[in-house]
Amino acid sequence: MKTTTITIAITVLMGLSGCANARLSQRKLAQTQAAIDAAARNESATNPHVALHLEYAKDQVVRAKELMSRHKEHEAQRMLDRAQADADLALALAESARSHQQAHDAWNEVKELEQHAKERTGDMSNGGQKQGMQQMHKAPQGQ
């Protein structure tokens, strides 16, 4: 009797554990898919490094789903962890590429402003010299 009760208790606990793992896997799957979607929506998603890690993440999600369908929750969790890591890396690479582009654009803008300032300074100094020369020529005429 005791052995039967213990066996039933162990079976129930293992079943509950399996359900908990399945819910955990579903939650992890949703989180991973959200990370993949966020990286894919980034304007730098066409960057080859970003695209590569997005592809890795998508492939690993497919593999995790296969494992989940065969009730291999532990392996599915590990695969989802890998997919999450690749999705996070893809997002970080996309953000880095975007920041790099913004810095490059800002640098070009600074260079343009410097060039514009040099041109204006050159015009002013040339214009100032011309005005001074004109005033010198006019002064004797007025005296």
Side-chain angles (χ1 to χ4, degrees), residues 39-86:
R41 281 191 307 268
N42 192 299
E43 62 192 38
S44 299
T46 58
N47 176 298
H49 298 292
V50 174
L52 178 66
H53 288 282
L54 272 174
E55 195 61 34
Y56 288 161
K58 290 175 184 177
D59 290 346
Q60 290 160 354
V61 165
V62 168
R63 179 88 170 106
K65 287 178 180 178
E66 291 170 3
L67 290 166
M68 289 167 62
S69 71
R70 294 186 310 197
H71 304 290
K72 295 186 175 190
E73 300 299 329
H74 184 69
E75 291 89 348
Q77 284 293 327
R78 286 195 322 229
M79 192 58 62
L80 288 173
D81 288 341
R82 289 177 56 188
Q84 180 74 44
D86 275 311

Side-chain angles (χ1 to χ4, degrees), residues 89-100:
L89 179 56
L91 186 57
L93 289 170
E95 290 296 322
S96 176
R98 187 174 58 85
S99 295
H100 180 67

